[in-house]
């Protein structure tokens, strides 16, 4: 596994990639540490770093990066549903639960959303609570910044 740290307007992030070039993690550096057996190298991440820079510059609305998030089948179903939320839009946890066929499972969907290992690219920040912004692994301020970048309503 390779990793690198990448500076963004919302703070440093850590990217992790398998040997075959598939991204497995994009996490905020203040909440994630690389494993001791991973190799540090920015070279394998040129494409994803460029796309992230374009996203933060406001010129990219979607990503073209091979992804391999590890999780349970339910978590992966939730993460696939996140990919269908358009740039600049938000949905509630309840709506996400309906989209994955579990309308009574908003809390479980919220937990799966929170376990997303590839932030920003798998846009978990686009899911908000019915009564406000809701949680976010990077913190509520980063969630607000990402939603503002996309021109989305951030809730209360």
């Amino acid at each position: 596994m390779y990793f690198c740290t990448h500076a963004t307007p919302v703070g440093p992030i850590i990217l992790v990639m398998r040997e075959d070039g598939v991204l497995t993690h994009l996490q905020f550096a203040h909440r994630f540490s690389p494993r001791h057996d991973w190799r540090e190298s920015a070279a394998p991440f040129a494409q994803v770093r460029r796309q992230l820079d374009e996203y933060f510059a406001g010129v990219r609305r979607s990503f073209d990066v091979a992804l391999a998030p590890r999780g349970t089948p339910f978590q992966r179903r939730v993460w696939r549903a996140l990919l269908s939320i358009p740039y600049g839009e938000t949905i509630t946890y309840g709506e996400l639960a309906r989209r994955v066929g579990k309308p009574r499972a908003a809390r479980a969907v919220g937990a799966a959303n929170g376990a997303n290992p590839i932030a920003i690219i798998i846009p978990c920040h686009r899911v908000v609570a019915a009564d406000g912004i809701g949680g976010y692994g990077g913190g509520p301020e980063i969630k607000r910044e990402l939603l503002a970048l996309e021109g989305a309503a951030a809730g209360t």
Side-chain angles (χ1 to χ4, degrees):
M1 300 286 273
Y2 293 102
F3 80 95
C4 77
T5 302
H6 185 65
T8 76
V10 295
I13 58 173
I14 295 177
L15 302 164
V16 182
M17 182 178 285
R18 296 186 323 210
E19 301 278 334
D20 62 0
V22 177
L23 192 69
T24 62
H25 294 81
L26 185 164
Q27 296 289 311
F28 297 97
H30 68 277
R31 300 184 67 95
F32 186 81
S33 296
R35 290 180 26 172
H36 73 280
D37 58 335
W38 294 349
R39 290 183 285 171
E40 186 170 10
S41 174
F45 299 95
Q47 177 188 11
V48 69
R49 293 172 69 204
R50 178 183 48 79
Q51 290 187 28
L52 285 163
D53 291 344
E54 292 169 353
Y55 169 81
F56 283 108
V59 296
R60 175 172 288 276
R61 293 179 170 231
S62 63
F63 294 89
D64 182 23
V65 177
L67 306 175
R70 295 184 77 186
T72 68
F74 177 73
Q75 288 172 326
R76 290 193 311 270
R77 189 164 75 201
V78 169
W79 301 336
R80 277 190 303 275
L82 294 173
L83 290 168
S84 71
I85 305 169
Y87 178 96
E89 295 184 21
T90 61
I91 65 170
T92 65
Y93 293 100
E95 173 59 25
L96 182 58
R98 285 187 286 283
R99 289 184 183 190
V100 298
K102 299 285 187 183
R104 296 181 173 269
R107 288 183 189 262
V109 163
N113 192 58
N116 173 20
I118 305 176
I120 301 169
I121 293 174
I122 298 178
C124 52
H125 61 279
R126 296 180 187 155
V127 182
V128 297
D131 62 352
I133 189 141
Y136 189 63
E141 286 307 313
I142 290 177
K143 184 173 186 171
R144 284 186 183 92
E145 288 181 52
L146 293 172
L147 292 175
L149 171 71
E150 295 183 10
T156 56

